[in-house]
């Protein structure tokens, strides 16, 4: 059974089991985020088939045991900022478990589950709730079920990004060396100017003064040294820029292709939960942003970090007293930075939300551009977009204005350091305890310090954005893929084609089953017609056979083996499917037909097209089999698309053929042709046919009538008509409807 297992409660189950000496099944456990009586703390609720255990003080407490039979009612009561679970008991005080807003959805499911158990109903709760707020910090998430930018462990993310550098060790070392060299060569010039001032131009009183000739000579030497340092800086920066460009492009390309590989292997369940636009933006904008950060951010993090350290070292070794004075504004800067950081983060989260709203709208409207035009809704789409774009703009301006304000104040604070240098340093020069050269070096170093400090102020938000992008990418990379590589899977290169459903229960949302204890046994080579109202779950049955989804309960077997144990490749390669909405890729008709079997000869392709009754329409096109079908095959008619996809299934030569309303979008004549084609196709294959027009299922061996998630009638067309049940009724209705249409025509 499914579990509502969100926060693992360490070692709890062991304790529960040893205490009660039972082997009952644990169904749900949750941790509240408020203690009992409104005190600080957590409470644990564990629900099994037999009882509820409430641990009023988390792990350290003795549980209140509530046998299911004692529960009179479980309900939730809304409170300010949260709610509480109330469990009413017979002759005993009610148990309260308060929790905050974040957990409302989770506790609603728990309450529902308890009620189901109490009433002895079948137990269905949804273990995968949508997360709107972050569980750790309670902030709104920029994307449902997404990553909380505030709670990213930056060091871990940074480490993970850096691990992509491993294969390129040589260049990474070169990069590090160039970084250090750049830093050092930027730190040297103030020391040289110090020497110029103190040794050549204005030697301090009492110091040894060189004669005219050699003084000029020394000046020349020092200036030459400056030139040398400059040259080294240029060289190092060039090497640095070159390696970082190469490395970051390489790393992002690696991450992107790893990401795409994942996307192809992920289950349909993953895609059901997400907007395609949002997933696409991970491949495009998230990876782009990461690359920007790798080129312009990360290397300067190292360089600027070294710079700050180097400058501090230089300042302290020249005059520690003055250095201490100069650093006085630093705490101010830090406090200001951290106060403002919180504010900026809120702006960035809002900005990201607005951005993803704009993007998903663009994606949806352009994908559905035909519908938009068909209903003449261009202006409305434009208006919706404009509104969102305007909002994005507003938030963008606010963010930028706040940022500007932040920097102005920051510059003011850092400016204080320079004033200190002039005043206190100047006093020391007058008093003769500091040379003029040292003062100038101090000043230069202070100026050098600004860049990195400001950069660190700015990089924070930038890093947050880049890192949350990276985390979004890693989230996908870490998602469990379909079990293509399962080593225990049973190889089944030659299927017979027996399909058995044993008490199968399944729902896309686990709490709302579409199929309920479905039983069906299909012999090899048999043709089964699946009949039922729209939305009853016919396509769902087919999805399960292909293992696009896994059953929640019960078993689905092919040739006596549970589909979950069959090698996915073997399973899918022996199933041919013609979908309700045939999807063609941009390319030629021939390419589309041979999609499932690349490298087919043109003779094979033509044979398949003939079998699918598609050959005639294909050759009547000017380019024949080379006709390009456009994106999604939109230059073909619905019926043509369907026949191409039928040919695609034929060429695949599957053991199990699935026709999901394969004739729904064609006229009666074409349908007759396709029927002919199908009749020759199904020979010796197990076939599942779903058809809207019941008359087309006449040559099925048996018909299965689905209603309310179960098969309610089963038999041949003849038998079912004679029985006069649900099917006979449907046929009668359809006949009447078609008569009405005939009269209207
Ligand atoms: P049909 O019998 O018309 O083929 P389906 O099997 O497509 O019906 O759908 C059965 C039910 O499951 C419908 O209520 C539908 O809304 C729902 N459903 C179908 N696909 C999904 C999905 N990917 N995610 C969530 N619900 C779905
Ligand atoms: Mg369907």
């Amino acid at each position: 059974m499914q579990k509502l297992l969100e926060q693992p409660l360490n070692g709890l189950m062991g304790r529960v089991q040893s205490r009660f000496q039972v082997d009952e099944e644990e169904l749900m456990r949750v941790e509240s985020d408020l203690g009992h009586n409104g005190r600080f703390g957590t409470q644990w609720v564990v629900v099994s088939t037999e009882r509820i255990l409430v641990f009023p003080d988390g792990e350290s407490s003795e549980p209140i045991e509530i046998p299911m039979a004692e529960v009179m009612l479980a309900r939730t009561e809304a409170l300010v900022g949260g709610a509480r679970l109330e469990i009413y008991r017979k002759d005993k005080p009610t148990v309260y478990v308060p929790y905050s807003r974040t957990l409302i959805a989770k506790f609603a499911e728990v309450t529902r589950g308890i009620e189901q158990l109490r009433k002895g109903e079948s137990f269905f709760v949804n273990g995968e709730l949508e997360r709107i707020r972050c569980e750790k910090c309670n902030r709104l998430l920029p994307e449902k079920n997404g990553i909380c930018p505030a709670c990213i462990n930056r060091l871990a993310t940074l480490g993970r990004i850096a691990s992509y550098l491993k294969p390129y060790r040589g260049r990474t070392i070169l990069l590090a060396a160039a970084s250090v060299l750049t830093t050092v060569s930027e730190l040297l010039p103030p020391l040289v100017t110090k020497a110029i001032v103190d040794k050549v131009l204005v030697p301090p009183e009492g110091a040894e003064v060189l004669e005219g000739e050699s003084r000029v000579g020394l000046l020349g030497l020092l200036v030459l040294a400056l030139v040398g340092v400059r040259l080294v800086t240029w060289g190092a920066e060039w090497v640095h820029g070159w390696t970082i460009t190469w490395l970051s492009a390489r790393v992002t390309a690696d991450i992107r292709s790893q990401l795409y590989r994942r996307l192809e292997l992920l289950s349909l369940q993953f895609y059901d939960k997400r907007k395609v636009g949002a997933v696409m933006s991970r491949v495009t904008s998230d990876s782009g942003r990461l690359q920007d950060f790798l080129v312009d951010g990360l290397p300067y993090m190292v360089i600027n970090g070294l710079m700050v350290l180097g400058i501090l070292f230089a300042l302290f070794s020249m005059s520690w007293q003055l250095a201490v004075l100069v650093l006085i504004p630093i705490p101010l800067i830090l406090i200001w930075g951290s106060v403002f950081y919180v504010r900026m983060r809120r702006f960035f989260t809002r900005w990201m939300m607005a951005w993803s709203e704009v993007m998903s709208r663009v994606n949806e409207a352009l994908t559905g551009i035909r519908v938009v035009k068909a209903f003449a809704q261009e202006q409305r789409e434009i208006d919706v977009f404009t509104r969102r774009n305007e909002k994005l703009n507003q938030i963008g301006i606010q963010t930028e204005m706040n940022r500007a304000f932040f920097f102005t104040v920051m510059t003011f604070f850092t400016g204080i350091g320079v004033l200190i240098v002039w005043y206190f340093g100047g006093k020391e020069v007058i008093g003769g305890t500091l040379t003029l050269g040292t003062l100038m070096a101090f000043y230069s170093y202070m100026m050098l310090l600004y860049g990195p400090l400001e950069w660190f102020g700015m990089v924070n938000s930038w890093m947050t954005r880049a890192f949350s992008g990276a985390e979004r990418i890693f989230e996908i990379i870490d998602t469990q893929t379909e079990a293509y590589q399962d080593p225990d899977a049973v190889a089944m290169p030659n299927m017979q084609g027996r399909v058995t459903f044993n008490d199968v229960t399944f729902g896309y949302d686990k709490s709302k089953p579409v199929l309920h204890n479905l039983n069906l046994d299909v012999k090899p080579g048999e043709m089964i017609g699946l009949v039922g109202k729209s939305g009853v779950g016919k396509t769902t049955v087919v999805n399960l056979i292909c293992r696009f989804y896994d059953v929640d309960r019960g078993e689905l077997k092919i040739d006596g083996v549970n589909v979950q144990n069959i090698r996915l490749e073997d399973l899918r390669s022996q199933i041919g499917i013609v979908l309700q909405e045939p999807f063609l890729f941009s390319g030629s008709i021939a390419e589309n037909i041979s999609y499932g079997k690349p490298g087919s000869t043109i003779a094979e392709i033509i044979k398949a097209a003939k079998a699918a009754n598609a050959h005639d329409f294909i050759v009547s096109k000017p380019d024949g089999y080379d006709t390009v079908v456009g994106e999604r095959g939109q230059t073909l008619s619905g019926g043509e698309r369907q026949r191409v996809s039928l040919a695609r299934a034929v060429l695949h030569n599957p053991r199990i053929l699935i026709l999901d309303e394969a004739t729904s979008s064609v006229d009666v004549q074409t349908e007759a042709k396709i029927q002919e084609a199908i009749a020759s196709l199904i020979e010796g294959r197990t076939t599942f046919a779903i058809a809207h027009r019941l008359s087309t299922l006449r040559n099925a061996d048996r018909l299965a009538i689905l209603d309310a998630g179960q098969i309610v009638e089963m038999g041949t067309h003849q038998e079912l008509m004679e029985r006069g049940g649900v099917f006979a009724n449907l046929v009668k209705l359809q006949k009447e409807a078609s008569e009405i249409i005939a009269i209207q025509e």
Side-chain angles (χ1 to χ4, degrees):
M1 262 190 212
Q2 36 175 340
K3 290 173 187 171
L4 197 78
L5 205 161
E6 282 283 340
Q7 291 128 326
L9 306 178
N10 293 334
L12 181 63
M13 264 337 277
R15 291 185 30 181
V16 173
Q17 269 166 5
S18 62
R19 262 177 75 79
F20 293 97
Q21 306 281 309
V22 284
D23 189 24
E24 61 197 49
E25 196 172 7
E26 177 203 351
L27 298 174
M28 308 184 281
R29 48 173 154 169
V30 271
E31 186 176 357
S32 75
D33 50 359
L34 296 174
H36 68 127
N37 301 333
R39 274 190 285 149
F40 182 74
T42 69
Q43 295 197 62
W44 291 353
V45 181
V46 180
V47 181
S48 73
T49 39
E50 306 296 325
R51 71 197 85 225
I52 306 168
L53 298 174
V54 177
F55 295 74
D57 269 316
E59 188 173 22
S60 55
S61 55
E62 281 299 296
I64 305 168
E65 188 197 351
I66 311 167
M68 207 47 86
E70 267 185 25
V71 179
M72 287 168 59
L73 177 71
R75 61 187 291 270
T76 54
E77 173 78 31
L79 305 173
V80 179
R84 71 180 177 204
L85 165 66
E86 302 179 345
I87 306 171
Y88 292 89
R89 301 186 286 175
K90 280 193 191 104
D91 311 321
K92 280 186 189 155
T94 306
V95 177
Y96 298 110
V97 183
Y99 45 86
S100 77
R101 211 161 35 170
T102 341
L103 297 174
I104 284 184
K106 203 186 288 178
F107 269 89
E109 287 296 315
V110 172
T111 313
R112 213 149 66 90
I114 295 176
E115 280 292 284
Q116 287 165 352
L117 292 168
R118 177 178 74 83
K119 294 182 193 156
E121 294 170 355
S122 28
F123 175 75
F124 283 112
V125 294
N126 188 1
E128 296 139 15
L129 297 170
E130 284 194 339
R131 291 183 307 117
I132 299 170
R133 282 174 178 277
C134 171
E135 274 153 6
K136 266 201 213 139
C137 65
N138 210 14
R139 285 195 184 87
L140 272 177
L141 293 173
E143 202 182 295
K144 265 186 203 164
N145 298 321
I147 302 258
C148 174
C151 291
I152 292 175
N153 180 347
R154 287 156 186 239
L155 218 56
T157 310
L158 186 65
R160 185 145 179 201
I161 296 171
S163 73
Y164 282 89
L165 288 173
K166 244 188 213 150
Y168 316 109
R169 188 164 296 150
R171 289 186 204 234
T172 311
I173 292 171
L174 186 63
L175 179 68
S179 304
V180 173
L181 199 58
T182 311
T183 316
V184 170
S185 60
E186 287 202 33
L187 287 176
L188 282 178
L191 290 181
V192 181
T193 35
K194 175 176 183 281
I196 292 179
V197 174
D198 285 352
K199 292 259 153 50
V200 182
L201 300 182
V202 217
E205 277 170 44
E208 190 187 335
V209 185
L210 291 170
E211 284 310 309
E213 280 288 300
S214 51
R215 207 165 155 185
V216 176
L218 185 58
L219 180 64
L221 267 179
L222 287 172
V223 172
L224 262 184
L226 273 183
V227 173
V229 168
R230 203 57 260 161
L231 283 178
V232 171
T233 314
W234 279 334
E237 273 175 0
W238 188 79
V239 173
H240 185 263
W242 179 76
T243 27
I244 195 66
T245 311
W246 190 92
L247 272 175
S248 64
R250 190 64 258 158
V251 165
T252 357
D254 288 352
I255 293 181
R256 208 177 311 145
S257 70
Q258 192 189 15
L259 174 66
Y260 185 74
R261 210 162 32 231
R262 272 288 138 141
L263 288 176
E264 285 285 345
L265 293 178
L266 285 172
S267 69
L268 287 180
Q269 223 141 11
F270 172 87
Y271 287 99
D272 282 349
K273 280 196 220 123
R274 286 174 175 79
K275 290 188 189 158
V276 171
V279 174
M280 256 165 42
S281 83
R282 302 192 188 191
V283 184
T284 54
S285 74
D286 282 349
S287 67
R289 211 176 279 158
L290 181 60
Q291 181 166 9
D292 288 346
F293 182 74
L294 287 180
V295 178
D296 289 332
L298 199 56
Y300 293 96
M301 195 121 102
V302 179
I303 291 186
N304 288 340
L306 288 175
M307 281 286 269
V308 170
L309 288 181
I311 290 171
L312 288 181
F313 177 75
L315 292 183
F316 273 93
S317 57
M318 283 188 299
S319 159
W320 69 265
Q321 295 94 335
L322 193 54
V324 168
L325 281 175
V326 155
L327 295 181
I328 284 175
I330 296 278
L332 281 179
I333 293 175
L334 289 181
I335 292 170
W336 174 244
S338 61
V339 166
F340 221 80
Y341 173 64
V342 176
R343 191 180 160 86
M344 289 310 286
R345 197 166 50 191
R346 219 169 45 232
F347 277 111
F348 279 125
T349 309
R350 282 175 55 198
W351 185 87
M352 273 195 275
M353 280 164 91
W355 173 252
S356 97
E357 262 177 30
V358 167
M359 284 324 285
S360 72
R361 193 70 202 182
V362 170
N363 182 54
E364 226 167 332
L366 293 188
T367 319
I369 189 78
R370 275 156 192 274
V371 182
V372 174
K373 293 210 169 287
F375 289 90
Q377 293 299 319
E378 291 97 333
Q379 194 52 49
R380 189 176 67 171
E381 289 298 332
I382 293 169
D383 291 344
V384 171
F385 179 83
T386 312
R387 245 192 336 269
R388 294 194 183 185
N389 194 29
E390 205 36 53
K391 191 172 147 202
L392 179 65
N393 177 36
Q394 287 300 329
I395 296 175
I397 290 175
Q398 279 178 341
T399 311
E400 282 312 312
M401 281 189 359
N402 271 284
R403 204 199 337 228
F405 178 61
F406 170 71
F407 280 122
T408 319
V409 177
M410 195 74 148
T411 319
F412 176 74
F413 284 150
T414 43
I416 296 175
V418 176
L419 301 180
I420 291 174
V421 171
W422 281 131
Y423 185 71
F424 291 97
K427 248 171 51 177
E428 283 196 48
V429 171
I430 295 170
T433 44
L434 199 73
T435 65
L436 180 61
T438 315
L439 181 69
M440 287 187 64
F442 240 93
Y443 179 75
S444 308
Y445 279 128
M446 287 304 293
M447 296 309 277
L448 271 182
L449 193 60
Y450 285 160
L453 275 189
E454 280 181 13
W455 187 89
F456 275 112
M458 179 191 71
V459 79
N460 218 337
S461 58
W462 183 11
M463 197 160 77
T464 307
R465 270 198 266 183
F467 278 20
S468 45
E471 277 301 322
R472 278 199 292 271
I473 293 175
F474 293 147
E475 185 198 13
I476 292 186
I477 290 178
D478 293 340
T479 307
Q480 185 78 30
T481 57
E482 288 188 289
Y484 274 104
Q485 254 95 39
D486 188 355
D488 300 330
V490 181
M492 203 184 262
N494 295 306
M495 271 181 192
Q496 297 297 307
R498 181 181 206 101
V499 180
T500 322
F501 284 77
N502 273 337
D503 281 327
V504 167
T505 299
F506 170 78
Y508 296 95
D509 173 348
K510 288 190 200 315
S511 59
K512 299 183 194 95
V514 175
L515 304 177
H516 247 300
N517 297 333
L518 182 101
N519 285 296
L520 181 65
D521 186 22
V522 183
K523 291 189 274 298
E526 198 179 13
M527 176 175 176
I528 286 283
L530 280 175
V531 181
K533 286 179 298 218
S534 167
V536 77
K538 304 181 294 290
T539 303
T540 308
V541 169
V542 164
N543 282 341
L544 291 180
I545 298 174
C546 299
R547 210 185 154 199
F548 290 148
Y549 302 87
D550 279 332
V551 303
D552 292 337
R553 275 193 236 166
E555 268 183 329
L556 168 54
K557 293 177 177 171
I558 293 183
D559 294 354
V561 183
N562 194 324
V563 282
Q564 295 180 17
N565 300 332
I566 301 176
R567 239 173 56 188
L568 206 51
E569 230 176 307
D570 289 347
L571 176 74
R572 301 242 173 103
S573 66
Q574 291 176 76
I575 295 179
I577 183 162
V578 181
L579 293 170
Q580 205 162 346
E581 300 114 22
F583 187 98
L584 303 187
F585 292 96
S586 49
S588 71
I589 291 182
E591 278 163 5
N592 266 294
I593 294 180
S594 63
Y595 184 77
K597 207 176 155 195
S600 308
T601 61
I602 188 73
E604 286 173 308
I605 294 174
I606 292 177
K607 197 170 151 221
K610 279 188 174 155
N613 246 332
H615 181 70
D616 291 344
F617 97 77
I618 297 173
V619 292
S620 72
K621 303 236 173 230
D623 293 336
Y625 279 86
D626 293 327
T627 307
V628 171
V629 299
E631 208 180 344
R632 291 157 210 263
Q634 54 189 329
T635 57
L636 298 182
S637 78
E640 288 170 343
R641 267 205 298 274
Q642 221 140 23
R643 277 180 282 170
V644 169
S645 81
L646 202 57
R648 181 161 68 186
V650 174
L651 188 63
H652 200 48
N653 192 19
R655 290 301 312 151
I656 300 174
L657 181 65
I658 293 169
L659 307 164
D660 189 353
E661 317 226 0
T663 55
S664 59
S665 55
V666 297
D667 54 76
V668 179
Q669 272 150 352
T670 320
E671 184 182 357
K673 280 191 190 162
I674 295 180
Q675 282 302 318
E676 248 172 67
I678 289 176
S680 67
L681 268 182
I682 61 174
E683 272 306 309
R685 308 176 207 278
T686 310
T687 306
F688 288 83
I690 301 171
H692 197 61
R693 288 195 201 104
L694 300 177
S695 52
T696 59
L697 294 177
R698 202 161 283 155
N699 38 9
D701 295 311
R702 284 190 295 164
L703 296 175
I705 320 300
L706 268 175
D707 197 18
Q710 281 182 322
I711 290 175
V712 289
E713 274 180 28
M714 185 100 193
T716 61
H717 197 276
Q718 180 108 31
E719 282 166 9
L720 292 177
M721 286 307 285
E722 282 165 9
R723 186 192 285 183
V726 182
F727 181 71
N729 222 357
L730 278 173
V731 173
K732 203 172 124 218
L733 278 175
Q734 264 199 3
K735 214 169 149 219
E736 283 168 9
S738 62
E739 271 161 14
I740 293 170
I741 292 166
I743 291 166
Q744 283 171 340
E745 280 168 355

